[in-house]
Amino acid sequence: MSSQTLLRSSDPLLQPYVLKHLTLRNRIMSTAHEPNYHEDGMPKDRYRLYHVEKAKGGIALTMTAGSAIVSQDSPPAFGNLFAYRDEIVGWLRRLADECHEHGTAVMIQLTHLGRRTNWNKAGWLPVLAPSPIREPAHRAVPKAIEDWDIDRIIKDYAAAAQRMQAAGLDGIEFECYGHLMDQFWSPATNRRTDAYGSGSLENRLRFSFQVLEAVRAAVGPDFIVGCRLVADEDWDKGISKAEGLAICRLLVQSGLIDFLNVIRGHIDHDTPLSRIIPVTGMRSAPHLDFAGEIRTATRFPVFHAARINDVATARHAIAEGKLDMVGMTRAHIADPHIARKVMEGREHDIRPCVGATYCLDRIYEGHETLCIHNPATGREAHIPHEIPKASGPKKLIAVVGAGPGGLEAARVSASRGHKVVLFEATDAPGGQLRLATRIKRRKELIGIADWRFAQCEMLGVDLRFNTFADENDITALQPDIVIIATGGLPKIDLLDEGNELATSSWDILTGDARPGDDVLVFDDNGAHPGMAAAEFLAEGGARVELVSPERFFAPDMGGLNLVPYMQAFEKHGVKITPMTRLRAIKREGNKIAAILWSPYGEADTAARLVDQVVVETATLPLDELYFALKPHSNNLGAVDHPAFIIGKAQHNITNPSGSFALYRIGDAVAARNIHAAIYDALRLCIAF
Ligand SMILES: Cc1cc2nc3c(=O)[nH]c(=O)nc-3n(C[C@H](O)[C@H](O)[C@H](O)COP(=O)(O)O)c2cc1C
Ligand code: SF4
């Protein structure tokens, strides 16, 4: 046995864990999360393939669903599965069977969302809660739950648990943070004066124990049942740490459950939610010690997840006895093969979760979960996570631009076994990512480029930095394929007057323009760059007004990503003016006047005298090289879209005398985002 193998066999993370009768093959799990991959509320092919990929990747336990709903008056808030329907059994059985074949245990999280949803969908039933207190995040005014509701929902929980058992799942957990169960527990949401309220813990836990007893009666003593529960709401109005610990003890003593999956915080709006699911720049593992305290106090199996996104921290959590099972949830959305890579001594190959939280922000806006830099996640049906070697002849592929898209094109092409030359005009990889990381708290995003750069080096890509490739450089190389990933540049031409007086957000972020003291930022893009420029300016001491034409500003940024910007804006007194456009900029003495107008009244509304106007308009493609090369190419730059969409080979030779196939990707085509650039690269190059 080699010393490396010996080390791995004693790795705390890789030790099996026995939970009741179930042996979990290691200590790594993915906690419940709703990816919104359902079809008609059912976990069909997309859903199954997503979980099976993690099973192939060696994970011990995958907790499926995020909050599968037990009753019809808990309408889906973010694509939740319908655990109240019998037809779910067949779909889950198939999912569980396929995960089991790869050695992974499968459980599911069940819930009634209570007030954490809205009434204007599915059956249009009123939303319920212990007391009629609105949740700021979902905004429904709930009906105070009645006795007949309680009776029926208890039966629904038990019936749902039986369905999960019938599907062959290894266990279930109940969601008890921000949902109906703990809405009863929390003084913030329970003002009842009956046997389910009145302040006493016994009353507030009554509903949960009634559910647990009914569930046990339905599934028997052997089926694994746990609670994912808040053990401290970290909120002056909510459940205190002492009360949380008392709840844990009561649950443990009841003998009705088999594990505690510990949460600290509350989720009724985005700011506290971001403390439970911390985003990039926030502390790693902020609640790990707390979860460890619960484990020590209860001597009961404890699971926990909250930004434990690297193997070293996960290993520490197990080695130090803080947890029995460590949740690495977003880490698996970024790389479903973590455990296998650890087992194979390939930790360095793990694609890092950089905390961008694109995955979660998307579901709250009704989209499906996608990882900002792993486009294969959720698309397992046609995009592989591991790039297979090409079966055809080895090709020479030239890639121009080492931003996220260009790096991905080089990585994927080299993984296919091709020879790749990557040209980059500057001295470092990253492209526009490097602008994003000009805000200190977003520095970690550079991991998107660093990981690809390291993979390219390992795969032998010929990396040519400080090389501005022109038409002759490319044709002289005699490549088979050329990929233009040159990105874009901002161009300010939206004003009636004074475009030349505007400063771009890029110039602010790169440091090419000196920040003014009194600055108006007009964000006509609605994504990170305008917000980042405003934060950068405010952090530097400027007085900033952020003007947006939108009803809700930054529409292309999700709620969790918004939180740190808003915190910075609050701190520095940034003024936000929505529903307003910038028409012109004029010189006025040593100041400049920004002329604002309302898209509703269509008239000028105000002028602001400032010393700098920053405009964010997204980018236009840097496409000179593409158009110069187009006549030399055999496809004249054309893309076969149906093939491209599913990552299949391109067959579009429209100019047989051309000597190479030419493609452009990412912002070199049209301004989009990091995911789009990487996805373009992956689905194109996977087919070469
Ligand atoms: C897309 C997405 C959906 C989620 N939905 C749920 C959910 O329905 N129920 C739940 O308990 N947690 C949910 N979570 C939270 C995760 O289970 C986990 O606690 C969180 O992502 C922090 O762990 P991590 O840093 O390892 O990702 C969700 C997370 C994500 C990213
Ligand atoms: S989007 Fe960001 S937070 Fe979510 S999995 Fe990908 S890297 Fe991690």
Side-chain angles (χ1 to χ4, degrees):
M1 196 186 268
S2 75
S3 58
Q4 282 291 323
T5 317
L6 196 63
L7 268 180
R8 285 198 288 281
S9 66
S10 60
D11 185 339
L13 260 188
L14 299 182
Q15 302 312 306
Y17 179 66
V18 179
L19 177 67
K20 223 168 177 166
H21 53 267
L22 179 70
T23 301
L24 297 164
R25 62 173 146 176
N26 57 49
R27 303 305 186 95
I28 305 173
M29 73 178 287
S30 162
T31 55
H33 58 289
E34 184 44 68
N36 204 359
Y37 296 158
H38 72 99
E39 287 164 64
D40 310 319
M42 294 297 125
K44 298 190 182 175
D45 293 351
R46 187 180 191 189
Y47 214 105
R48 184 183 71 257
L49 292 173
Y50 167 66
H51 283 284
V52 170
E53 194 68 41
K54 285 182 279 190
K56 287 182 192 163
I59 199 166
L61 167 62
T62 187
M63 185 69 72
T64 59
S67 328
I69 48 189
V70 299
S71 304
Q72 274 189 289
D73 62 353
S74 169
F78 33 81
N80 314 62
L81 296 180
F82 298 165
Y84 58 82
R85 288 216 184 135
D86 289 340
E87 65 180 292
I88 199 169
V89 173
W91 293 109
L92 281 174
R93 185 178 297 121
R94 197 166 161 203
L95 188 160
D97 286 351
E98 288 186 28
C99 287
H100 287 158
E101 275 169 29
H102 295 283
T104 294
V106 182
M107 300 193 190
I108 193 167
Q109 182 182 72
L110 297 176
T111 202
H112 190 296
L113 291 157
R115 65 177 195 154
R116 193 171 171 74
T117 184
N118 220 311
W119 46 268
N120 55 1
K121 52 185 112 169
W124 282 64
L125 295 172
V127 162
L128 296 173
S131 304
I133 304 169
R134 191 182 218 168
E135 189 211 50
H138 291 81
R139 301 181 46 258
V141 180
K143 164 190 131 162
I145 199 163
E146 295 177 60
D147 45 5
W148 60 272
D149 293 315
I150 289 180
D151 291 347
R152 121 188 111 69
I153 292 171
I154 291 170
K155 289 192 189 100
D156 287 347
Y157 267 105
Q162 263 178 330
R163 284 184 200 103
M164 303 306 126
Q165 190 178 33
L169 300 196
D170 299 286
I172 55 175
E173 73 172 13
F174 295 116
E175 210 283 11
C176 321
Y177 68 105
H179 292 197
L180 185 59
M181 275 211 189
D182 64 296
Q183 286 164 23
F184 275 101
W185 303 355
S186 175
T189 43
N190 184 349
R191 308 257 170 88
R192 298 176 75 93
T193 52
D194 61 4
Y196 293 91
S198 307
S200 89
L201 206 51
E202 192 193 350
N203 279 359
R204 286 186 275 138
L205 287 171
R206 187 177 310 282
F207 171 71
S208 300
F209 278 119
Q210 286 175 331
V211 169
L212 288 171
E213 274 155 17
V215 166
R216 270 293 167 220
V219 298
D222 297 333
F223 194 54
I224 293 176
V225 177
C227 284
R228 187 166 208 207
L229 83 174
V230 55
D232 173 6
E233 281 194 301
D234 190 22
W235 192 13
D236 54 357
K237 301 184 199 175
I239 299 163
S240 66
K241 184 171 167 181
E243 245 184 350
L245 188 54
I247 293 171
C248 291
R249 287 202 169 109
L250 287 169
L251 285 167
V252 169
Q253 284 158 15
S254 74
L256 293 167
I257 63 164
D258 303 302
F259 66 87
L260 299 168
N261 187 349
V262 173
I263 291 284
R264 179 162 188 263
H266 57 111
I267 59 172
D268 56 316
H269 65 99
D270 287 338
T271 307
L273 179 63
S274 74
R275 292 195 281 267
I276 289 187
I277 307 180
V279 303
T280 193
M282 294 174 76
R283 240 179 80 195
S284 161
H287 311 304
L288 176 59
D289 290 341
F290 173 73
E293 284 177 47
I294 301 287
R295 184 172 185 265
T296 307
T298 58
R299 296 167 187 238
F300 204 63
V302 165
F303 306 172
H304 171 68
R307 201 159 154 70
I308 302 174
N309 56 352
D310 64 289
V311 169
T313 310
R315 187 174 285 128
H316 160 82
I318 300 296
E320 294 304 311
K322 292 181 189 291
L323 304 180
D324 295 288
M325 291 296 294
V326 56
M328 300 184 75
T329 305
R330 283 169 296 170
H332 277 83
I333 297 176
D335 189 336
H337 298 163
I338 293 176
R340 188 165 55 75
K341 288 180 180 174
V342 174
M343 285 185 262
E344 291 170 0
R346 292 169 51 213
E347 277 179 37
H348 56 278
D349 271 346
I350 295 171
R351 185 185 315 232
C353 170
V354 295
T357 311
Y358 187 62
C359 47
L360 182 60
D361 271 342
R362 283 180 58 86
I363 65 160
Y364 282 117
E365 289 175 1
H367 305 298
E368 83 277 47
T369 284
L370 292 172
C371 173
I372 195 167
H373 78 127
N374 187 352
T377 296
R379 298 190 177 108
E380 284 79 8
H382 52 270
I383 306 274
H385 282 268
E386 298 270 88
I387 310 294
K389 281 257 185 282
S391 50
K394 186 168 172 163
K395 295 181 177 122
L396 174 58
I397 302 183
V399 181
V400 186
L407 285 166
E408 177 74 352
R411 177 188 82 86
V412 176
S413 303
S415 304
R416 298 279 289 155
H418 301 304
K419 175 163 174 43
V420 181
V421 182
L422 174 60
F423 296 94
E424 167 56 41
T426 69
D427 60 358
Q432 285 187 47
L433 257 179
R434 296 213 286 164
L435 281 188
T437 59
R438 290 280 291 164
I439 304 250
K440 276 198 216 98
R441 62 174 177 80
R442 303 192 78 220
K443 284 231 171 309
E444 202 178 339
L445 295 184
I446 205 64
I448 296 171
D450 286 349
W451 178 75
R452 289 183 167 73
F453 181 54
Q455 294 283 309
C456 285
E457 279 193 312
M458 212 173 60
L459 291 160
V461 171
D462 180 353
L463 296 152
R464 301 190 189 171
F465 288 100
N466 298 307
T467 308
F468 186 92
D470 65 14
E471 183 187 342
N472 294 332
D473 297 324
I474 300 297
T475 48
L477 204 64
Q478 297 188 314
D480 299 297
I481 298 169
V482 178
I483 298 168
I484 303 297
T486 40
L489 272 182
K491 183 166 187 295
I492 301 172
D493 61 0
L494 77 168
L495 306 178
D496 292 349
E497 186 183 340
N499 284 308
E500 70 289 354
L501 296 175
T503 303
S504 76
S505 52
W506 277 45
D507 285 342
I508 291 296
L509 291 170
T510 54
D512 284 351
R514 204 175 137 261
D517 294 328
D518 216 341
V519 187
L520 183 139
V521 177
F522 177 60
D523 183 4
D524 198 25
N525 182 12
H528 283 278
M531 301 285 279
E535 180 172 333
F536 186 83
L537 287 159
E539 285 280 344
R543 250 187 324 279
V544 179
E545 177 176 0
L546 177 63
V547 175
S548 161
E550 314 292 346
R551 215 154 45 107
F552 308 110
F553 71 112
D556 283 347
M557 178 161 359
L560 283 172
N561 269 282
L562 187 68
V563 171
Y565 285 111
M566 289 309 297
Q567 286 170 330
F569 294 171
E570 283 285 319
K571 180 171 157 201
H572 298 293
V574 172
K575 181 179 173 202
I576 295 164
T577 307
M579 294 180 281
T580 302
R581 283 197 166 273
L582 177 67
R583 188 178 65 73
I585 308 175
K586 299 177 183 177
R587 270 209 193 287
E588 276 202 29
N590 60 357
K591 290 272 189 191
I592 51 179
I595 314 298
L596 304 177
W597 65 283
S598 156
Y600 300 99
E602 296 187 5
D604 287 354
T605 50
R608 303 271 199 270
L609 267 191
V610 290
D611 46 38
Q612 190 170 49
V613 176
V614 173
V615 173
E616 165 56 35
T617 57
T619 58
L620 288 178
L622 262 174
D623 51 14
E624 268 174 41
L625 180 59
Y626 169 79
F627 282 106
L629 290 170
K630 200 170 155 176
H632 306 293
S633 70
N634 56 30
N635 62 332
L636 298 175
V639 180
D640 171 355
H641 281 157
F644 177 65
I645 286 170
I646 54 168
K648 293 287 176 231
Q650 296 282 314
H651 296 290
N652 40 16
I653 298 192
T654 47
N655 178 31
S657 61
S659 50
F660 51 81
L662 174 69
Y663 302 99
R664 57 177 171 152
I665 58 172
D667 287 6
V669 186
R672 283 165 293 159
N673 67 10
I674 297 170
H675 181 88
I678 293 176
Y679 187 29
D680 275 3
L682 174 59
R683 57 189 161 162
L684 183 67
C685 300
I686 191 78
F688 293 154

